[in-house]
Amino acid sequence: MVEFDDAFRQHLRELFVWRRDVRRFRSDPLPAGAIDRLIETACLSPSVGLSQPWRFVTVDDDARRRAVIDDFRSCNADALNAYVGERAARYATLKLSGLEQAPGHLAVFADKASDIGHGLGRATMPETTEYSVVAAITAMWLAARAEGIGLGWVSILSPDRIHAILDLPSSWKFIAYLCIGYPEIECDRPELEQAKWEHRRGADEFTLRR
Ligand SMILES: Cc1cc2c(cc1C)N(C[C@H](O)[C@H](O)[C@H](O)COP(=O)(O)O)c1[nH]c(=O)[nH]c(=O)c1N2
């Protein structure tokens, strides 16, 4: 039996407050085994029917990393073109990935074909497979921050292209590409808020009572 006291709860809240999506990384490498440790923690996450559908791919090969960066550049140029006027000008100033600097690249997939969990919970909601993988990524994000490691989620990518670059089974659905490394700075406010792209709203804006 483990009990968590008020001091722990307060500390845990600080972890949530100080977790950031990181795009600016220092160049120093991660300690040996750091990413494996984060993956181990992520595997403790809830998953539909205990299916553990997460699949993690560490990307260390230079040519593959370069191809991912090229894909990001192309997708980001398309994204910029979809905005006009002042919003386009502002988008152009944002830093939306740390792919070039991050010492760690981790691609995350959901295995849609695995029969682990025997289908429990997925019959009417097959998308719970992907939800389970996102839950694992969130755990990893927080576990990383607790070690002083930053994690940045990059989704400005073409899933088909990432799949081809990494040469993976067709049943694996691309969920996330994560940049991992030590952050240049720590902050308790989202970078997009600091850049005046969007501001964080309170829970009352998203809560209905019925
Ligand atoms: C599914 C998903 C996908 C993305 C993101 C997040 C999530 C959950 N975020 C990070 C996002 O911008 C960030 O979480 C918010 O701006 C809030 O900031 P903090 O995470 O609180 O620092 C993100 N950020 C970015 O710079 N490039 C990206 O492609 C993405 N993609």
Side-chain angles (χ1 to χ4, degrees):
M1 174 71 180
V2 179
E3 286 208 26
F4 302 104
D5 59 13
D6 281 347
F8 174 82
R9 278 186 282 280
Q10 180 58 32
H11 220 163
L12 181 62
R13 180 163 164 76
E14 293 296 304
L15 177 64
F16 281 81
V17 169
W18 285 90
R19 180 211 52 79
R20 283 285 66 75
D21 183 74
V22 176
R23 307 103 197 250
R24 300 167 201 276
F25 294 94
R26 304 199 320 246
S27 59
D28 34 326
L30 291 163
I35 291 184
D36 290 341
R37 212 168 38 249
L38 294 177
I39 292 172
E40 267 179 48
T41 300
C43 289
L44 299 174
S45 301
S47 62
V48 62
L50 193 49
S51 57
Q52 297 194 273
W54 36 73
R55 305 291 179 263
F56 300 98
V57 182
T58 52
V59 183
D60 295 322
D61 178 76
D62 274 346
R64 288 193 160 112
R65 282 191 178 204
R66 185 58 38 204
V68 170
I69 290 167
D70 288 347
D71 185 55
F72 168 77
R73 289 209 178 115
S74 154
C75 293
N76 203 33
D78 291 347
L80 172 59
N81 282 334
Y83 293 107
V84 291
E86 200 268 331
R87 190 49 71 178
R90 196 174 287 265
Y91 185 90
T93 67
L94 299 174
K95 178 161 173 57
L96 295 171
S97 100
L99 288 166
E100 306 261 12
Q101 305 81 25
H105 280 207
L106 184 68
V108 190
F109 294 79
D111 185 354
K112 298 291 289 178
S114 166
D115 61 6
I116 301 175
H118 312 287
L120 189 153
R122 281 180 280 172
T124 56
M125 294 188 66
E127 65 274 24
T128 49
T129 301
E130 290 91 322
Y131 297 167
S132 303
V133 177
V134 174
I137 294 169
T138 305
M140 175 179 278
W141 216 329
L142 290 161
R145 179 61 188 84
E147 291 197 30
I149 294 172
L151 185 152
W153 186 324
V154 185
S155 57
I156 306 166
L157 294 167
S158 150
D160 290 346
R161 185 82 193 109
I162 298 302
H163 212 279
I165 291 166
L166 300 181
D167 188 22
L168 296 165
S170 60
S171 66
W172 289 22
K173 182 173 171 187
F174 178 59
I175 303 294
Y177 200 91
L178 307 177
C179 296
I180 305 178
Y182 290 108
E184 273 183 8
I185 49 158
E186 302 287 7
C187 189
D188 61 355
R189 287 175 63 213
E191 185 163 331
L192 289 186
E193 187 168 272
Q194 296 171 63
K196 298 190 172 19
W197 177 264
E198 186 54 272
H199 65 278
R200 190 158 49 192
R201 296 145 204 265
D204 51 339
E205 285 201 43
F206 307 115
T207 311
L208 295 182
R209 312 225 183 262
R210 287 283 186 273

